[in-house]
Amino acid sequence: MGTYALRRVIQMIPLLLVISLLIFALTALQPGDPVDQLVFGNSNITPDDIARLKAAYGLDQPWFTRYFFWLKQAITGNFGYSQDFGIPALEFVFQSRLPNTLLLTVPALIISTLIAVPLGIFSAVRQYSPLDYILTFFAFLAVSAPVFWVGALALYFFAVYLPGATGGALSLPPGGLGSPDLPADASAWAVFADKLKYLLLPMMILMLREIAVTLRFMRANMLETLTQDYVRTARAKGLADRRVLYKHALRNAVTPIVTLLGLSIPGLFGGAVITETVFSWPGMGKAILDALVSKDFNVVMVCLMMLAVLTVVFQLLTDLAYAIVDPRIRYA
Amino acid sequence: MKKTLALTAFLLGAALAGPANNSLVVGTSQEPPNIYDPWNTNNLAITSEINGYMGAGLTYQDDDGTTKADIATRVPTLGNGDYKVVKDSKGDVIRNSVTYTIRKDAKWSDGTPIKVADFQFWLKLENDDRVPVPDRDPWDRAKITVNDADTFTITFEPPYLFADQVSPGLAPSHIMSAAWNAFDAKTKNEKDAKVTNEEWKKFISSFTTARSLPKVVAGPFKPTAWRTGNSLTMTRNAAYWNQPKNPENYVQTVTYRFIPNTNTLKVNILSGQLDAVSAVGLTFDQGTDLARNERNKYKTYFVPGAVWEHIDINARGQRAKDLDLDDPRMRQALLYAIDRDALTKALFQGKQAVSNSWIGPVSKLYKKDVTDYNLNVAKAKQLFAALGWTPGSDGILQKGGKKLTLNFSTTAGNSTRERVQQILQAQWKAVGVQVNIQNYPASVIFGPDFLSKGESGKWDMAMYAWSNNPVFEEGNLWKSEGIPTAANGYSGQNNPGWNNAEYDKLYKQAKVEFNQADRIKLFDRMQAVWNSEVPSLPLYFRVNVYTKVPGLVNYTFSAITQYPSWNAANIGWASKGAVEEYKQK
């Protein structure tokens, strides 16, 4: 197992290099660059100005030259400055955006898993019961409804309609990260309570979909497990239903959830672009999208490389976890 | 007790904004990359708007275009001798200069007096090759001469037409000099521009970003908190000299909330979370929607702006010749064939005025009596026929076996423009012109290989907008030197490739005509020439949409001032005793 893990780690290095080259090339080969955005609409700009700006931003050189410059700097831990925010790209991502994203996505994933797994089991065990139909209907609805639409409805309901109907007694903030008028010397509890108020709506919308997906997945796994020979044998031996379910079937049914969760984790860091956009929640998803649109190369590279590293690392961890939960799997 | 009440209020969801605590909460859809960068190395509108709260200039213009003094003791004019124009023996102006005296009470927010050195420091960096200033016009030909401790003269050679109306920047030399000297020492012999640029970013970010807020400012408000992705708060600067009478009656705190999604911004307005919206925020459609739901909670304003929407006609290359796009009659015919009045009524409730010139009605140079090109299908058909285009069996005009089929491009995803395209496509079809819509992302349209490469026939018609400050109109959009070619590195904005000798001559004369009345005459003729050949089909001037709650005074702007922050010191609540000086026009 140790040798296998080491081999996989060594294999990651060339893989990540190729990924970085591809990301850089694809970003650099998009039409337009940051200088075009400064130039366009300015009728006073001269060819000399354009040449000067292109040189200053290093855009007068071929993309692969720029890539090697970036790589050389990145190896030393210098990922450059964000063009759009004027601060080091690493600082922008890890201090300004990633904490916001994790605050939104991690609790959403944990809570939705805790809700969805039991519901999925229940739905499978009580297949074709009225509750199973209700849960299945909810799951399809939640998966099918576009996030931007559900988000907009929720915003209007909780921020406009509800306060109007209750004379302002009940309301949730219409997007954002926190109250701008929060006193600077507010207590930690007040800051947390304020943040929570702003977090509720986007988290609820994110959880709706997560619950629906995990619920369907869990239900399908459980149904498949319940038809296995060993479950039938356990029942034939006269074991109590509860014992058959929780002792024999559940462990095998939950195994694929490990894969699902393992592969979800890099996604947590990538943020939820539509949810973040609708609720003006400044997270990673929105940051990646904006950086790609405005050609903020350094931010694009930091974000996407971080996701690439997380993806390969968690793929490895998932594979290793499989060996732990499934005795049939052995790595050499 | 007060603090407990405040906490209770916001934990219950109530915004503590507006007159209650004499503050102002403004919503905007953009967040600036940095603030109070004296060299304005990003040219975003939101940056200019927010900087307006913190900045001060020697002079400024109000909503009506009147120049007023701020840091300077008075506005330089020919009459008071502070504005001088020097001519040679032939009577040509060879240079001009403006003299300013700094007010004795003009101070930075830390109490340090504003000095001539602050203007000199700014000018030195503005013209330094290591500073990525987008363009240096007119400062690359400006020189500062110190007359005494508070008085200095800026000389422009060659002369600058708007020398008496433009104010140079200033930077706090007592704060920035040491860091600049360190940057200078580090990069003096650096060959690699990218390394220099990284050092520049380090230098400027230590004075202009969320983690390093500007140390001092000169204007009415100073930044106190910037939570990236969320909000920026500025508080009243007690050291600012140009305060209204009883400054305590005016807004004490301004908070910008960054809400990138404009629908979410709309919900914030409807839910009463915002006192006002920035000039950079709402779309026209959202404005009309909000106007229907005001219920006395807020009022929606549609401010005539300086953004001119038009359709460039590509008159360059073989394809343009084959389609007669290089012939003014073809362009006139295309314009007569569309009903712009009906278009603006249908889409913009008539709030966006149809234009027949690239200069807006707000400008002193605007010429009203040019051909208006109202819908005239008979005239359009007559012009097509004169050019030899006759309807084929399918109703499409043809000439020499070629059909009159035009590609029409605009920025993909802009729903307003896409609707305009569909209406115009149908109207042109009615006169036998087949129009194919081919849209591209903005990065392609405004990128290096599209508009400026008209010669290769990549586009026939392109719809987009120009934003011109009416005060500084030079007419340079249409000079033939501005036709982008390989020889000039594809710079210049004359994308249609219009080349008119009379216009060029008039433009050159107007560029050095310092007498306003004579300039107006020259621009009258320039607009007449332009209008007779319509190198670009003028559509309309866009309006800027914003909302504000009743009782908020002096929060106004025009096509000249562009942002409500021009009058930051006087923004306030009537209920708190703020006196209304300017009404929104």
Side-chain angles (χ1 to χ4, degrees):
Chain A
M1 182 94 117
T3 316
Y4 169 80
L6 185 68
R7 198 169 63 237
R8 285 278 302 266
V9 169
I10 292 166
Q11 283 170 357
M12 279 181 199
I13 297 164
L15 177 67
L16 290 171
L17 277 172
V18 171
I19 290 171
S20 73
L21 181 69
L22 279 174
I23 294 171
F24 198 96
L26 286 170
T27 312
L29 294 173
Q30 283 184 89
D33 61 41
V35 170
D36 290 328
Q37 294 176 24
L38 289 173
V39 167
F40 199 79
N42 185 343
S43 53
N44 293 324
I45 213 132
T46 66
D48 287 350
D49 288 329
I50 297 170
R52 178 174 49 82
L53 291 167
K54 296 246 181 202
Y57 294 119
L59 297 166
D60 56 338
Q61 292 162 11
W63 70 267
F64 45 86
T65 310
R66 279 153 44 206
Y67 170 72
F68 285 112
F69 176 82
W70 174 84
L71 189 64
K72 199 175 76 183
Q73 301 273 83
I75 287 166
T76 64
N78 176 6
F79 287 86
Y81 273 71
S82 159
Q83 184 67 41
D84 289 350
F85 293 91
I87 57 174
L90 216 54
E91 185 185 314
F92 169 73
V93 171
F94 286 93
Q95 285 181 25
S96 285
R97 294 296 186 263
L98 192 59
N100 296 340
T101 278
L102 294 179
L103 193 65
L104 175 67
T105 56
V106 173
L109 183 77
I110 293 168
I111 298 168
S112 52
T113 304
L114 291 175
I115 294 170
V117 168
L119 284 178
I121 294 166
F122 185 87
S123 199
V125 172
R126 301 268 188 280
Q127 199 185 3
Y128 304 133
S129 66
L131 200 69
D132 178 37
Y133 280 121
I134 289 167
L135 288 171
T136 304
F137 174 74
F138 153 78
F140 278 118
L141 194 70
V143 169
S144 315
V147 174
F148 64 85
W149 179 73
V150 179
L153 276 183
L155 263 178
Y156 185 81
F157 180 79
F158 287 102
V160 181
Y161 173 76
L162 203 58
T166 62
L170 286 174
S171 74
L172 280 174
L177 188 64
S179 303
D181 51 0
L182 188 71
D185 55 351
S187 66
W189 153 246
V191 172
F192 171 74
D194 178 60
K195 193 81 114 181
L196 192 64
K197 200 175 61 173
Y198 280 82
L199 196 60
L200 273 177
L201 263 185
M203 204 195 281
M204 268 168 23
I205 299 302
L206 206 57
M207 275 168 53
L208 270 181
R209 200 180 170 81
E210 289 284 346
I211 289 172
V213 171
T214 313
L215 187 152
R216 294 290 307 155
F217 197 72
M218 190 66 218
R219 182 183 181 273
N221 284 338
M222 197 68 186
L223 283 174
E224 197 188 337
T225 310
L226 290 175
T227 59
Q228 299 288 313
D229 288 346
Y230 68 88
V231 174
R232 207 174 305 126
T233 307
R235 282 199 168 124
K237 279 162 57 181
L239 289 179
D241 238 10
R242 179 178 290 264
R243 196 170 164 80
V244 171
L245 274 181
Y246 297 113
K247 178 92 178 123
H248 293 262
L250 189 59
R251 187 171 166 184
N252 287 323
V254 166
T255 305
I257 294 283
V258 173
T259 312
L260 186 72
L261 288 176
L263 297 177
S264 295
I265 290 169
L268 296 183
F269 288 78
V273 67
I274 300 172
T275 310
E276 287 174 7
T277 302
V278 170
F279 293 96
S280 295
W281 186 266
M284 287 291 292
K286 187 85 179 66
I288 294 170
L289 184 71
D290 291 347
L292 281 165
V293 170
S294 66
K295 318 280 189 306
D296 196 346
F297 290 116
N298 292 334
V299 170
V300 169
M301 289 307 291
V302 169
C303 291
L304 298 185
M305 283 313 295
M306 179 193 76
L307 292 181
V309 169
L310 286 170
T311 304
V312 294
V313 166
F314 276 95
Q315 210 139 31
L316 172 62
L317 293 177
T318 306
D319 291 348
L320 298 178
Y322 242 75
I324 296 163
V325 295
D326 191 341
R328 293 169 299 177
I329 295 169
R330 286 284 172 271
Y331 296 117
Chain B
M1 181 65 187
K2 235 182 186 172
K3 208 172 99 174
T4 313
L5 274 175
L7 279 176
T8 312
F10 82 69
L11 290 178
L12 286 171
L16 262 182
N21 60 349
N22 213 357
S23 68
L24 171 69
V25 179
V26 181
T28 180
S29 61
Q30 273 187 11
E31 182 171 13
N34 62 9
I35 52 171
Y36 209 69
D37 166 2
W39 300 276
N40 209 7
T41 46
N42 78 74
N43 56 357
L44 288 177
I46 189 62
T47 311
S48 304
E49 177 170 328
I50 288 175
N51 287 351
Y53 286 92
M54 296 177 284
L58 287 161
T59 59
Y60 68 98
Q61 265 103 28
D62 70 4
D63 270 352
D64 307 319
T66 308
T67 306
K68 297 183 166 184
D70 190 2
I71 296 173
T73 51
R74 64 184 188 182
V75 175
T77 62
L78 290 166
N80 66 22
D82 287 348
Y83 179 35
K84 287 194 173 71
V85 174
V86 180
K87 294 179 180 177
D88 63 9
S89 54
K90 287 184 289 187
D92 294 331
V93 177
I94 49 168
R95 67 175 169 272
N96 55 353
S97 65
V98 272
T99 297
Y100 296 100
T101 300
I102 299 170
R103 289 171 61 132
K104 292 273 183 246
D105 56 355
K107 290 184 179 73
W108 293 100
S109 52
D110 63 353
T112 307
I114 292 173
K115 289 280 166 214
V116 180
D118 298 322
F119 294 94
Q120 289 175 303
F121 177 63
W122 176 85
L123 188 63
K124 184 174 78 172
L125 269 68
E126 177 80 359
N127 288 319
D128 191 300
D129 270 346
R130 293 165 297 179
V131 179
V133 175
D135 84 272
R136 297 184 174 128
D137 186 64
W139 308 108
D140 52 354
R141 58 181 190 267
K143 207 171 84 212
I144 288 180
T145 315
V146 183
N147 304 349
D148 63 40
D150 298 315
T151 308
F152 66 103
T153 299
I154 307 176
T155 305
F156 294 93
E157 194 166 2
Y160 179 55
L161 203 52
F162 310 108
D164 57 335
Q165 291 164 80
V166 72
S167 188
L170 70 161
S173 55
H174 68 292
I175 297 288
M176 288 178 145
S177 282
W180 170 257
N181 292 338
F183 165 88
D184 184 37
K186 211 179 242 181
T187 58
K188 202 176 278 179
N189 302 314
E190 179 57 59
K191 296 277 188 295
D192 193 335
K194 288 196 295 296
V195 174
T196 302
N197 192 249
E198 289 286 300
E199 288 299 327
W200 161 259
K201 282 178 186 160
K202 254 182 235 175
F203 163 78
I204 199 67
S205 71
S206 60
F207 300 102
T208 59
T209 54
R211 64 168 183 169
S212 305
L213 289 173
K215 313 281 183 287
V216 296
V217 298
F221 285 85
K222 54 185 181 187
T224 45
W226 184 359
R227 296 164 69 195
T228 53
N230 193 51
S231 61
L232 168 72
T233 301
M234 297 168 276
T235 51
R236 204 166 189 91
N237 171 20
Y240 182 62
W241 55 95
N242 219 346
Q243 301 278 12
K245 209 170 150 188
N246 305 319
E248 66 281 2
N249 292 353
Y250 293 77
V251 156
Q252 299 299 301
T253 309
V254 177
T255 299
Y256 264 75
R257 289 202 53 207
F258 306 121
I259 305 165
N261 184 305
T262 53
N263 283 317
T264 312
L265 185 64
K266 209 171 92 180
V267 172
N268 273 268
I269 296 162
L270 291 167
S271 63
Q273 299 287 314
L274 303 173
D275 300 319
V277 176
S278 140
V280 186
L282 297 165
T283 63
F284 185 90
D285 288 351
Q286 287 168 328
T288 53
D289 196 20
L290 283 162
R292 280 195 297 269
N293 295 293
E294 288 177 351
R295 292 192 214 114
N296 296 327
K297 283 208 255 172
Y298 58 86
K299 192 159 168 35
T300 315
Y301 296 86
F302 297 85
V303 185
V307 177
W308 178 61
E309 194 78 16
H310 65 283
I311 302 168
D312 273 1
I313 304 290
N314 182 11
R316 303 167 69 196
Q318 190 54 48
R319 186 176 157 80
K321 278 192 174 59
D322 295 343
L323 294 167
D324 284 330
L325 296 175
D326 59 342
D327 191 313
R329 288 172 296 170
M330 171 58 80
R331 301 191 294 261
Q332 289 168 352
L334 289 170
L335 196 48
Y336 275 125
I338 57 175
D339 190 348
R340 294 170 300 155
D341 278 321
L343 178 92
T344 62
K345 278 195 183 81
L347 294 182
F348 312 116
Q349 302 172 1
K351 286 189 165 89
Q352 305 206 129
V354 168
S355 78
N356 288 297
S357 163
W358 78 97
I359 296 173
V362 72
S363 170
K364 292 185 173 84
L365 303 172
Y366 173 66
K367 181 176 167 61
K368 202 176 172 183
D369 52 345
V370 287
T371 308
D372 63 15
Y373 292 101
N374 283 342
L375 175 70
N376 191 334
V377 174
K379 184 116 188 190
K381 286 180 173 172
Q382 192 190 325
L383 286 161
F384 287 132
L387 284 162
W389 294 91
T390 52
S393 54
D394 56 358
I396 304 297
L397 293 169
Q398 53 183 12
K399 178 180 169 182
K402 264 203 170 70
K403 287 187 174 186
L404 188 51
T405 303
L406 305 176
N407 295 326
F408 187 10
S409 306
T410 192
T411 47
N414 183 319
S415 56
T416 305
R417 282 181 178 155
E418 283 167 354
R419 268 179 287 168
V420 169
Q421 271 185 316
Q422 284 156 10
I423 292 170
L424 297 184
Q425 183 186 37
Q427 292 181 347
W428 277 318
K429 195 175 179 183
V431 294
V433 181
Q434 189 173 324
V435 169
N436 297 329
I437 291 172
Q438 276 187 357
N439 293 342
Y440 302 92
S443 58
V444 173
I445 296 267
F446 302 133
D449 295 314
F450 195 79
L451 285 172
S452 58
K453 303 274 171 71
E455 194 106 318
S456 56
K458 284 190 175 177
W459 56 278
D460 300 325
M461 302 197 288
M463 177 163 52
Y464 62 101
W466 284 118
S467 177
N468 297 328
N469 186 325
V471 175
F472 303 115
E473 178 57 59
E474 291 188 59
N476 55 358
L477 270 181
W478 312 105
K479 62 184 180 189
S480 60
E481 288 164 48
I483 298 172
T485 61
N488 65 18
Y490 294 100
S491 70
Q493 319 290 28
N494 187 346
N495 293 314
W498 187 56
N499 189 339
N500 183 290
E502 188 188 359
Y503 183 92
D504 278 353
K505 192 171 145 239
L506 292 162
Y507 160 73
K508 281 182 183 132
Q509 283 175 274
K511 221 180 151 176
V512 289
E513 182 50 75
F514 289 79
N515 180 301
Q516 178 79 344
D518 291 342
R519 262 190 100 233
I520 289 171
K521 278 184 203 150
L522 288 167
F523 264 87
D524 267 8
R525 184 64 202 141
M526 282 156 79
Q527 286 170 93
V529 171
W530 185 92
N531 172 271
S532 69
E533 297 212 354
V534 279
S536 194
L537 310 185
L539 292 177
Y540 45 81
F541 279 92
R542 275 198 228 150
V543 292
N544 277 306
V545 184
Y546 80 97
T547 66
K548 65 178 173 189
V549 300
L552 181 66
V553 299
N554 302 325
Y555 187 92
T556 66
F557 62 94
S558 69
I560 291 164
T561 50
Q562 295 184 42
Y563 312 111
S565 54
W566 73 270
N567 195 17
N570 295 291
I571 296 172
W573 297 98
S575 60
K576 289 279 180 184
V579 179
E580 185 165 37
E581 272 185 279
Y582 286 89
K583 274 195 189 315
Q584 181 62 65
K585 289 181 180 134

